[in-house]
Amino acid sequence: MRGVERRFSAGQLTPGTRLVLPRGIRAVPVLDYYRRPYTGSARTVWPNVIAADGSTVDASVVPDRGAPTRIAILSGFTEGWYELRHATGRTDRVAWDVRKLPVLFLYGEFGATNEAPYHNRIYTLALQALSHNPYSRRIAAK
């Protein structure tokens, strides 16, 4: 089961906007998202997320254009909500039934990928509550 995806894009999303989540959230990165997505073996505590380039980033802060892509499955919710606190002062709060949708998919693309069809052009943050992790968990082949 999937909740409604909320997507915030350029124009409504600016560097410095903050994503606020309840305490105790864990993040597992989604690797190779554009070809054959799977979750990595590393797990971090929010707001630390492993980005597509392998660096650990503070995913609670929306970065400037050109920052690495961050895609993760977030879990550990006891309350289903997040807030997007825009640099302009506006706050968007989204809530859902965490008993039915216990994980949150995080997709932040900030212009660093050259994958089709984006080619360094997209600047977006998308969030969607899910009933389970849709990606298999495996370690990347070396």
Side-chain angles (χ1 to χ4, degrees):
M1 183 178 350
R2 295 174 182 244
V4 174
E5 177 187 285
R6 295 284 310 259
R7 185 174 295 266
F8 303 88
S9 298
Q12 60 186 171
L13 187 67
T14 57
T17 297
R18 297 188 76 79
L19 175 60
V20 179
L21 299 174
R23 292 186 187 270
I25 302 304
R26 296 176 305 280
V28 176
V30 176
L31 306 172
D32 202 15
Y33 180 73
Y34 297 105
R35 291 182 187 83
R36 189 179 180 121
Y38 63 94
T39 53
S41 59
R43 179 176 288 182
T44 57
V45 175
W46 179 262
N48 300 310
V49 171
I50 298 170
D53 68 357
S55 65
T56 300
V57 297
D58 178 348
S60 70
V61 179
V62 173
D64 290 324
R65 228 174 235 288
T69 301
R70 50 202 71 169
I71 303 169
I73 299 295
L74 307 176
S75 63
F77 289 90
T78 56
E79 301 174 81
W81 65 267
Y82 64 81
E83 286 184 352
L84 205 60
R85 296 180 184 164
H86 298 271
T88 62
R90 189 182 94 220
T91 297
D92 293 312
R93 184 177 178 100
V94 176
W96 68 92
D97 185 347
V98 75
R99 294 168 299 172
K100 294 180 181 176
L101 303 167
V103 298
L104 184 66
F105 175 70
L106 166 79
Y107 172 79
E109 177 56 66
F110 305 107
T113 187
N114 59 10
E115 298 290 336
Y118 306 121
H119 302 295
N120 303 321
R121 293 185 303 236
I122 193 166
Y123 187 84
T124 190
L125 177 67
L127 299 146
Q128 184 176 29
L130 304 169
S131 61
H132 67 282
N133 181 348
Y135 303 108
S136 67
R137 189 173 174 101
R138 69 175 175 87
I139 298 171
K142 293 187 178 184

